[in-house]
Amino acid sequence: MSTTAERVESAQGEHPIAPYLRMDRIPHIWCPTCGLGTVVKCYATALEETGLDLDKVSIVSGIGCTGRVAGYMKLDAFHSTHGRAIPFATGLKLGRPELNVTVFSGDGDLLGIGGNHFIHAARRNIDLLVVLVNNFIYGMTGGQNAPTTPMTAKSSTMPFGNFERPFNIPHLAASCGATYVARWTCLHVRRLTKAFAEALGRKGFRFIEVIAPCSTLYARLNRLGSGLDLLRFYHDSAEVRHGADTRELDMGFQEKFICGKFVDSERPTFTEAMNEHYSKILGDRYVPMTPEGGWIHE
Ligand SMILES: Cc1ncc(C[n+]2csc(CCOP(=O)(O)OP(=O)(O)O)c2C)c(N)n1
Ligand code: SF4
Ligand SMILES: [Mg+2]
C-alpha cells in the first residue's frame, strides 16, 4: 500500500481513478449501464478529495453485484459472507479503531438477510460509513423480490407485481439512530461524491442510500426500456429536499421521490460511550484502547 500522492504519481496516463482500483481485476463483472461503476467512481473521487491516508481506509462488502465493490477497490478490503458485512466491519473497527471503515453492499444483503445487523449497528452508533446501493432487487441471483422492491413492481419471484410494502430505508436508519443519513441517485455524481467525502469525515453510524436500479433484470422484468433510460428516469424524478422529514421518503413504482441529506448530527459512538461508562465505574482499572489501536501497557 502507499499514500494517495504516491499512487497518483505512479498512475500517470491511466484513468483518473486507476490509483484507487485493483486494475488487475478489470474488466469488472457488471452489466453495461449498471450504476455501480458510477458509484465506485464517486467514492474513489471522494477518497481523493478528502486526502485520507489510504493505508487507514478499509472497505467491507457482503455478497451480490454490489458486494463486488470491495474486491475492486485498492484498499484493505474484505468480501464477507451474505448479510454479514456489518458485523465483520464492526469487529474490524472495534479491534482497529484507527481505521476509517466503509461498508459497501446491496439492498438485499444489508436489509434482507443482514437487516438485524443494520438496525443494531445504527442503534449502537458503531463508527462506520454504510453505503447501500439500492437497485430494487436481488441482482446477482436473478432478480428476486427484495425488501426494497416497490409495490406493484415485478420481480422474478413476484411476476404479477410486488404486494409487500418495501422499507423506507433512510427512515429506518434515522429512527434506529444513524447520525448521518442521505439519499442520492448514481447520476447525482457531484452531490453523491460530496456526500461520500462529508460522511468519510464524520464519525458514528453514517448511512448513504444510492439509488441505482438494476438495468438488466429490474428494467427487463418491468419493461422500463434501456438501462440508461431507467437511470435517467430516476435522476429526473428526484426532488432534492435537504432536511426532509424521513417519514416522507417512501419510494413508489416509477414515481417521484425525495433525495438529499436528511440527518447530520452527533452523539457518542459505541466506543466513546463504552469508554466513558467503564472509566466512570472502574477508574484507573479500566484501560481503553488508544485511538491509534492497541493498548497502553505500563
Ligand atoms: C447465506 C446465503 N444465502 C443466499 C445467498 C445467495 N445470494 C447471493 S447474492 C444474493 C442477493 C443479493 O442482493 P443484493 O444485496 O441486493 O445485491 P445486488 O446483487 O442486487 O447488488 C443472494 C440471495 C448466499 N450467497 N448466501
Ligand atoms: S445484474 Fe443488475 S445490479 Fe447486477 S451488474 Fe447487472 S445491472 Fe448491475
Ligand atoms: Mg440489490
Side-chain angles (χ1 to χ4, degrees):
M1 288 289 172
S2 47
T3 64
T4 311
E6 283 165 352
R7 285 197 196 184
V8 171
E9 178 67 32
S10 70
Q12 291 299 324
E14 291 185 37
H15 188 278
I17 67 159
Y20 301 90
L21 298 180
R22 295 182 188 274
M23 292 304 283
D24 53 321
R25 296 199 175 183
I26 304 297
H28 54 70
I29 64 152
W30 297 321
C31 310
T33 73
C34 178
L36 278 162
T38 314
V39 184
V40 167
K41 163 85 164 63
C42 294
Y43 182 71
T45 308
L47 284 178
E48 184 154 282
E49 283 177 13
T50 54
L52 284 169
D53 176 354
L54 299 180
D55 286 344
K56 298 263 166 65
V57 180
S58 243
I59 185 162
V60 183
S61 290
I63 304 292
C65 297
T66 315
R68 291 291 173 122
V69 170
Y72 295 133
M73 296 300 302
K74 201 167 167 187
L75 298 167
D76 282 332
F78 301 88
H79 189 192
S80 66
T81 50
H82 195 29
R84 303 299 182 265
I86 287 182
F88 190 97
T90 299
L92 180 64
K93 180 66 193 176
L94 297 185
R96 294 286 304 274
E98 80 279 20
L99 297 178
N100 199 324
V101 182
T102 299
V103 169
F104 225 112
S105 218
D107 47 320
D109 188 78
L110 287 169
L111 292 180
I113 190 170
N116 213 35
H117 298 298
F118 182 90
I119 59 175
H120 289 289
R123 174 182 67 82
R124 298 157 99 194
N125 204 20
I126 305 286
D127 194 8
L128 300 173
L129 166 58
V130 176
V131 178
L132 181 152
V133 179
N134 185 1
N135 56 14
F136 303 132
I137 216 155
Y138 288 0
M140 179 165 268
T141 45
Q144 294 89 346
N145 222 69
T148 49
T149 306
M151 292 285 272
T152 74
K154 290 181 180 148
S155 62
S156 60
T157 48
M158 290 267 197
F160 300 108
N162 175 36
F163 58 84
E164 290 180 14
R165 183 188 162 139
F167 278 128
N168 167 346
I169 316 177
H171 184 53
L172 179 69
S175 53
C176 291
T179 53
Y180 182 101
V181 179
R183 171 196 275 162
W184 295 106
T185 76
C186 60
L187 290 191
H188 285 95
V189 172
R190 285 201 195 89
R191 294 184 193 256
L192 179 60
T193 305
K194 189 172 166 230
F196 282 148
E198 192 171 59
L200 279 164
R202 299 279 201 280
K203 56 183 184 158
F205 189 91
R206 294 144 283 150
F207 175 71
I208 300 177
E209 178 187 12
V210 188
I211 306 294
C214 172
S215 50
T216 299
L217 294 153
Y218 187 76
R220 193 194 303 148
L221 290 163
N222 288 289
R223 301 180 188 276
L224 297 172
S226 75
L228 197 54
D229 293 338
L230 186 56
L231 296 187
R232 279 209 194 100
F233 173 86
Y234 274 89
H235 176 267
D236 297 347
S237 304
E239 179 196 336
V240 177
R241 212 191 298 165
H242 295 299
D245 183 336
T246 56
R247 287 172 298 186
E248 294 171 13
L249 302 179
D250 277 310
M251 293 192 68
F253 179 56
Q254 296 297 98
E255 288 173 9
K256 288 192 173 297
F257 63 99
I258 298 169
C259 278
K261 178 168 78 172
F262 312 117
V263 177
D264 192 354
S265 60
E266 251 190 75
R267 70 183 176 99
T269 64
F270 174 86
T271 306
E272 287 168 347
M274 178 178 73
N275 287 343
E276 195 193 330
H277 180 69
Y278 286 127
S279 298
K280 214 183 281 171
I281 291 172
L282 299 173
D284 291 348
R285 284 180 295 149
Y286 179 65
V287 183
M289 197 180 263
T290 66
E292 297 76 32
W295 279 267
I296 301 170
H297 295 285
E298 289 173 11

